[in-house]
Amino acid sequence: MWTIRNFAQTRSTNDDAAPLLGAAEHAGTVLVADYQTAGHGRHDRAWVAPPGSSLLCTTILPEPIATSALWAVPFWTGLALADAIESLTGHRVTLQWPNDLLVRGAKCAGILCISRVIGTRAFVGCGTGVNVVRPDDTSVFAEVLPAPAFLSDLEPRITRDDVRVAMLAAYARRLPDLADSAGIARAWEARAELDGTPYRLLVDGSSEPIVAIAREIASDGSLIVDHDGRRRHIALADARVLREFGFDSIIEG
Ligand code: BTN
């Protein structure tokens, strides 16, 4: 089902995959890089990973999906990646809206999906950055608070190949789920134990974070929360999740 293409270095596997979306010969292609010089995450933030430390890859799904289901793909990816990491480490993975994976309260993986829409069909690439082997020099993460987690903290012998193999197996198992976007959202909510979870959010245009109680995922991927006695929809593009770390610091997640 998958064709793996390895690169020692590239700018960004997502950028490399974008022009391949929709080409029949690239369905199921997985671009994997040891190092990215311009890896990026959500909100245009840089995604930094020292060479060889992380699984940096973009997986082009074998089949297009319904354009109306696009919003659910990052949640689907998170579920599959959580399966993979839990099976390899035996540790519980926490899913945090919109699409972060945490272990022991620290981020171990991020997801940024790309797509090309042709009418009612969308061709999708699932970009994943998974911190696998803790590098000797972690100075590049000095600004990242709380510090990122690496899977080798949990399972010292783990390799990037282990994570890639388990992730692609989980994608393959879960491919049929992509036909049911509402089902993906319900599965994600259950896995994240979302209902009742407090989220500290910085909504664009506001300088003051709010603490809201998460309730569910709406049918466009936004987070439905209770805040100040009313129900609100927090759109994917319009807010950042802040993670509390320690006593009084507010940290962008
Ligand atoms: C996030 O948490 O903000 C998402 C991070 C996604 C990073 C991955 S690494 C592989 C792929 N290529 C990129 O440039 N970004 C994604």
Side-chain angles (χ1 to χ4, degrees):
M1 180 178 293
W2 311 112
T3 306
I4 315 295
R5 290 176 59 190
N6 285 297
F7 299 89
Q9 178 173 312
T10 187
R11 279 176 52 78
S12 153
T13 58
N14 272 10
D15 293 354
D16 293 343
L20 311 184
L21 296 177
E25 68 270 29
H26 291 301
T29 294
V30 185
L31 305 182
V32 185
D34 292 341
Y35 181 61
Q36 295 182 131
T37 54
H40 45 90
R42 292 183 304 109
H43 297 289
D44 279 337
R45 281 176 289 193
W47 183 263
V48 178
S53 66
S54 301
L55 177 66
L56 306 168
C57 73
T58 305
T59 305
I60 299 178
L61 296 183
E63 302 282 345
I65 65 162
T67 301
S68 57
L70 256 184
W71 63 269
V73 176
F75 298 101
W76 176 88
T77 308
L79 285 165
L81 200 48
D83 284 351
I85 293 172
E86 288 185 353
S87 72
L88 291 168
T89 66
H91 281 257
R92 181 86 185 144
V93 172
T94 305
L95 297 176
Q96 179 182 267
W97 182 87
N99 42 35
D100 289 343
L101 280 75
L102 316 182
V103 289
R104 295 177 175 163
K107 183 165 170 172
C108 66
I111 294 165
L112 185 64
C113 296
I114 55 171
S115 61
R116 176 174 174 211
V117 172
I118 302 177
T120 56
R121 297 190 311 161
F123 298 85
V124 179
C126 301
T128 50
V130 186
N131 304 331
V132 181
V133 180
R134 179 173 289 282
D136 293 334
D137 179 4
T138 52
S139 55
V140 290
F141 300 117
E143 309 281 299
V144 183
L145 291 170
F150 282 81
L151 301 185
S152 62
D153 300 340
L154 311 173
E155 171 50 64
R157 287 168 311 222
I158 198 164
T159 67
R160 290 180 297 151
D161 282 349
D162 295 337
V163 181
R164 175 181 49 77
V165 169
M167 182 189 75
L168 294 178
Y171 285 165
R173 263 196 316 275
R174 286 182 172 271
L175 276 177
D177 300 351
L178 284 165
D180 175 15
S181 44
I184 293 170
R186 300 295 81 81
W188 193 95
E189 288 163 355
R191 181 74 166 264
E193 299 177 350
L194 185 72
D195 188 12
T197 300
Y199 269 74
R200 188 175 283 259
L201 301 160
L202 187 60
V203 180
D204 281 0
S206 160
S207 54
E208 277 301 304
I210 61 167
V211 176
I213 304 301
R215 292 300 173 205
E216 55 186 302
I217 302 297
S219 56
D220 62 355
S222 37
L223 182 66
I224 300 178
V225 298
D226 287 332
H227 177 250
D228 250 358
R230 67 187 178 96
R231 198 142 272 212
R232 287 179 66 170
H233 283 233
I234 308 291
L236 278 166
D238 297 344
R240 289 158 195 242
V241 175
L242 305 174
R243 272 184 281 145
E244 257 181 313
F245 188 69
F247 180 61
D248 60 359
S249 48
I250 298 170
I251 309 297
E252 197 171 300

